[in-house]
Amino acid sequence: MGKCRVAGVSRTLLPVVVAFCLSACRHPAGGAAEAQSGRPQDGAAPSGYGMEFLGPDDCSSRGQVFREVSCGSERAGARVLARHTGAPSDGPACPPPTDFVLHISPGGAAPSGSPAAAPRGYACMRNLESPHPGDPGQGGGPLTVVGDCVHSFREGEVRETACDGSGERPPEFEIGSAVGRRALCPDTTDLYVQLGGDMPVGCAHRM
């Protein structure tokens, strides 16, 4: 569930600016894949199934340990939408349908004749079956997108929550559209949300 920090704005302004923040996750030692969204998961060493551990369109297993498996396997639980080297805070954003992010650490030296150990990076994952917490309004996923809802967390911060009220906290604002700058938001906008990308400003209204 995303936690967002409010950017510095004057208290005399009714609307506030919300900055979406990718929460950092610890990288387990020894070639691990760890889920960013939700409770941290135990890591798994690269399996060497493909030429690159969890490359684009590869699939991971379900459960607490994430290993690369064939997407046709009954053990497959999620597919890689994008794979990047480095930290999420420094690299490209994940695609909007991303349900969760796996942090991938080096697995040490690969045996002779085997694919190289996975470099430190992250994989943007989409569940093969429901639920899809990254979909608009579902209250989860690493990105804040049009159709998502947020609630006040503490002074200067909000958190994403399910729009249907099924989350731990009821929704207070819903992001109705995305624009290039705040001046293009409707006059009814109560909250400006920083989304990033080509349309970086989300126009949210109170529910």
Side-chain angles (χ1 to χ4, degrees):
M1 183 178 298
K3 180 175 69 175
C4 305
R5 185 176 302 276
V6 175
V9 294
S10 170
R11 291 180 180 272
T12 61
L13 296 178
L14 177 61
V16 295
V17 180
V18 180
F20 173 72
C21 306
L22 271 173
S23 57
C25 291
R26 295 180 180 176
H27 296 265
E34 178 181 283
Q36 174 185 324
S37 180
R39 185 177 61 184
Q41 306 292 317
D42 293 335
S47 65
Y49 179 84
M51 293 303 295
E52 178 186 35
F53 177 59
L54 290 180
D57 290 326
D58 287 341
C59 289
S60 71
S61 58
R62 300 183 181 91
Q64 298 293 314
V65 176
F66 296 90
R67 293 187 181 277
E68 185 175 320
V69 297
S70 168
C71 291
S73 168
E74 62 181 13
R75 295 185 298 156
R79 184 185 299 272
V80 180
L81 299 180
R83 171 78 145 81
H84 303 292
T85 301
S89 58
D90 300 327
C94 285
T98 301
D99 286 328
F100 63 97
V101 176
L102 288 181
H103 291 265
I104 301 171
S105 298
S112 177
S114 298
R120 185 178 299 277
Y122 58 101
C124 309
M125 309 295 296
R126 171 81 173 178
N127 292 330
L128 294 179
E129 300 177 354
S130 297
H132 294 292
D135 284 354
Q138 297 303 302
L143 304 175
T144 301
V145 298
V146 172
D148 279 339
C149 295
V150 297
H151 69 83
S152 299
F153 175 56
R154 57 189 177 194
E155 184 177 0
E157 290 184 359
V158 297
R159 278 186 172 176
E160 190 177 330
T161 189
C163 290
D164 63 5
S166 61
E168 295 181 2
R169 295 282 299 275
E172 296 179 32
F173 300 92
E174 181 177 2
I175 303 170
S177 60
V179 296
R181 60 183 190 276
R182 290 197 302 175
L184 298 178
C185 282
D187 294 338
T188 55
T189 300
D190 298 306
L191 189 75
Y192 300 104
V193 183
Q194 184 174 333
L195 303 179
D198 295 335
M199 295 293 181
V201 179
C203 314
H205 60 272
R206 188 178 295 276
M207 299 180 68

